[in-house]
Amino acid sequence: MFAVRYHRYGGSEVLCVEEVEEPHAGPGQVRIAVRATGVTPADWYLRSGMLRSIASVDFPHIPGMDAAGIVDEVGEGVTGTTVGDAVFGLVPFADQGGAAAQYAVLEAWAPKPQSWSFEEAGGAAGNIDTATRVLDALDAAEGMTLLIDGAAGGVGTITAQIARARGLTVIGTASEGNHAFLDQLGVIPVTYGPGLADRLAPLAPQGVDVVLDAAGKGSLAELVALAGDPHRVVTIADFDADRHGVRYLRSEAGQSPGWAGLPLAADLADHGRLTVPLHAVFPLKEIATAHDVSANGHARGKIVITVP
């Protein structure tokens, strides 16, 4: 089969399409013919070597952590899924990738919502998993107000919609050019940057209950002050979290508690309550460009790769 691989850490130029051996579904897994896969910051963090102290990779490495496609192998013990089903899901965490390929093995998946294209579904699972874990870690419940710093990106847009489905009010920071976009998602927009507390005051007179830092732009001190307690703040993007007493959330080996969010999110999508905004869609041969666009940090929604 064909797949994108890299043989050393480096910039996007290390990515290349090669012929590789096919993977096969093990117990509790399915294999899909990939139609689309998402690009996340974790993909280029790993590729660049930024995470080598906490999450090194074995070379050669296939990037891509989530995907959508058609099931063509079903592993031992799998029930409720058959060959020919359209699904979306996550590759095994221990592999830290593998979806940017003709075939990929999934260890967590759900039926693809009929309302989603393969491109939308291909970029959904990782963000749904992250959003579910974030909201659970914050004990986010109906009636609370959630502030998302960096709300217009892939994780921010999905977290906001799932939070609203749980009955939370969501306020999101973004550039002014993205305010109308957030408003369409039911998010109360506010401009990011210094002076955020003053801009928030009329929007949340009682303050905010919980905070997600999805931007990683050095705002944790201000976000902790807004929340009133570092335990009410979670970051997925700032490696300086410990210094502020804030939890840094990343996927761990073994079953993620966020996996339960995949079928729940699919149900929300089928009822018109969850969309996957797409910033850009690239063919597999342009994956280097997709990584570069993600690394620029200005994506509005999800970046996705299609597989021929």
Side-chain angles (χ1 to χ4, degrees):
M1 73 169 189
F2 56 82
V4 173
R5 294 203 299 187
Y6 54 95
H7 295 254
R8 59 181 174 84
Y9 293 122
S12 62
E13 73 279 357
V14 302
L15 297 165
C16 56
V17 179
E18 302 176 332
E19 285 292 324
V20 304
E21 187 176 345
E22 293 183 9
H24 294 282
Q29 299 175 334
V30 299
R31 189 179 83 165
I32 62 170
V34 179
R35 296 288 186 83
T37 177
V39 174
T40 72
D43 288 316
W44 54 267
Y45 286 169
L46 286 169
R47 187 212 69 227
S48 68
M50 287 176 58
L51 299 181
R52 72 179 73 184
S53 63
I54 58 174
S56 60
V57 300
D58 294 326
F59 297 122
H61 181 73
I62 301 173
M65 299 181 181
D66 53 7
I70 304 297
V71 174
D72 80 333
E73 279 186 9
V74 177
E76 180 183 352
V78 172
T79 59
T81 301
T82 60
V83 170
D85 288 351
V87 301
F88 73 107
L90 298 159
V91 302
F93 175 80
D95 296 344
Q96 296 174 333
Q102 186 176 4
Y103 299 102
V105 170
L106 304 181
E107 65 176 351
W109 65 90
K112 184 185 80 68
Q114 292 186 357
S115 59
W116 287 355
S117 65
F118 276 105
E119 289 82 1
E120 291 166 319
N127 290 343
I128 291 167
D129 173 69
T130 298
T132 302
R133 290 185 294 108
V134 163
L135 295 173
D136 289 350
L138 290 170
D139 292 324
E142 184 175 359
M144 287 184 173
T145 296
L146 166 68
L147 170 66
I148 302 176
D149 194 24
V155 171
T157 55
I158 295 296
T159 303
Q161 292 177 85
I162 293 176
R164 291 192 68 246
R166 291 190 181 192
L168 281 79
T169 297
V170 180
I171 301 173
T173 74
S175 63
E176 291 188 10
N178 283 327
H179 283 196
F181 168 69
L182 291 183
D183 187 64
Q184 291 173 355
L185 297 176
V187 177
I188 301 169
V190 61
T191 303
Y192 65 86
L196 177 59
D198 292 334
R199 295 189 295 277
L200 272 178
L203 302 177
Q206 306 303 315
V208 297
D209 298 295
V210 287
V211 179
L212 165 61
D213 169 33
K217 300 298 185 182
S219 60
L220 284 182
E222 185 175 17
L223 297 178
V224 168
L226 288 169
D229 185 335
H231 296 292
R232 293 162 61 185
V233 181
V234 163
T235 182
I236 61 166
D238 195 327
F239 299 133
D240 203 26
D242 284 347
R243 189 166 68 86
H244 299 276
V246 170
R247 286 168 291 178
Y248 173 72
L249 235 58
R250 69 184 185 94
S251 295
E252 302 289 348
Q255 182 162 332
S256 165
W259 290 358
L262 297 183
L264 295 176
D267 183 66
L268 287 175
D270 281 332
H271 287 84
R273 302 180 66 190
L274 182 63
T275 62
V276 184
L278 297 179
H279 176 79
V281 177
F282 297 91
L284 188 71
K285 64 182 180 181
E286 296 180 16
I287 190 170
T289 301
H291 274 225
D292 290 339
V293 171
S294 177
N296 285 338
H298 299 296
R300 186 170 79 177
K302 190 70 180 183
I303 298 168
V304 172
I305 301 294
T306 56
V307 179

